[in-house]
Amino acid sequence: MVRVLGIDPGTKVVGWGVLDTNGVRHALVAHGAIRTTVGDELALRLVEVHDGLTRTIAEHRPEVIALEDVFFGKNFQSAIRLGEGRGVALLCAAQAGVPVAEYPPATIKKAVVGWGRADKEQVARMVQAVLRMAELPTPRDAADALAIAICHCHRIGRVAARPRAQGRRAPAFTRAQCEELARRVRARG
């Protein structure tokens, strides 16, 4: 089993979700959100995000972190804020020595719902179904983080099932990354 931490980055609310997977079956471990103090200046909110993610990584010890990639929507300011939150998440991953996989929003939605333009409600309902949750995951930021983790879990499953021949695309991980991942899993015992 591989432990995946999905992160929905932000500067006000950061969603996170932890799954254990063998690439085919995914088990929910935990999910939640880091809420920063409303009204604080950006630098202080980023410290809160850093501290919260550092605690989450230390508590759940993921082998890989899946993160939403930057996208350019209609609101340029939102894209900048998302980039700032992503930067903190990347820093936390690097400090913990955990590899990061990044996915654009449309790829995440397509992996979970089957359609790259799905709305947040559709994504949350599919996360609930895939993980066999009794209720919709809350808060919504955590549902998005679980979707990001599911997207990466599906990638792990495709890599494991993919034939080497026939000129298919390269695997999501390099051989060295896979060996390092296996070493960490064994060390965890």
Side-chain angles (χ1 to χ4, degrees), residues 1-182:
M1 295 292 268
V2 175
R3 181 157 288 184
V4 178
L5 169 60
I7 298 174
D8 181 34
T11 57
K12 293 181 181 177
V13 180
V14 176
W16 60 270
V18 181
L19 302 178
D20 283 338
T21 186
N22 63 5
V24 178
R25 298 196 192 288
H26 320 308
L28 175 64
V29 175
H31 67 285
I34 300 160
R35 296 184 187 282
T36 62
T37 305
V38 177
D40 274 359
E41 63 184 62
L42 177 61
L44 294 176
R45 291 197 321 264
L46 293 176
V47 168
E48 289 180 77
V49 169
H50 178 271
D51 293 347
L53 285 176
T54 299
R55 278 191 304 275
T56 301
I57 292 168
E59 179 181 347
H60 296 289
R61 299 175 47 182
E63 279 88 33
V64 65
I65 292 175
L67 189 62
E68 185 177 54
D69 205 352
V70 175
F71 68 97
F72 297 99
K74 295 178 183 176
N75 188 337
F76 185 70
Q77 193 67 25
S78 293
I80 290 172
R81 291 291 182 238
L82 175 65
E84 292 164 340
R86 275 179 36 80
V88 172
L90 290 168
L91 172 64
C92 291
Q95 288 176 328
V98 180
V100 175
E102 300 175 72
Y103 300 97
T107 300
I108 296 164
K109 291 174 182 180
K110 188 171 183 180
V112 176
V113 179
W115 185 51
R117 294 179 163 262
D119 63 32
K120 285 190 173 284
E121 179 72 20
Q122 291 170 311
V123 171
R125 292 217 175 271
M126 283 305 295
V127 166
Q128 178 187 18
V130 168
L131 298 178
R132 296 178 182 92
M133 300 173 76
E135 297 179 10
L136 283 175
T138 57
R140 280 293 161 93
D141 301 277
D144 291 345
L146 288 168
I148 295 164
I150 290 168
C151 175
H152 186 71
C153 291
H154 288 178
R155 172 66 58 94
I156 291 170
R158 282 199 319 270
V159 169
R162 181 179 297 151
R164 283 233 171 238
Q166 303 170 349
R168 302 221 182 190
R169 281 184 14 192
F173 297 105
T174 66
R175 183 180 181 95
Q177 288 173 318
C178 288
E179 290 170 353
E180 174 63 20
L181 188 60

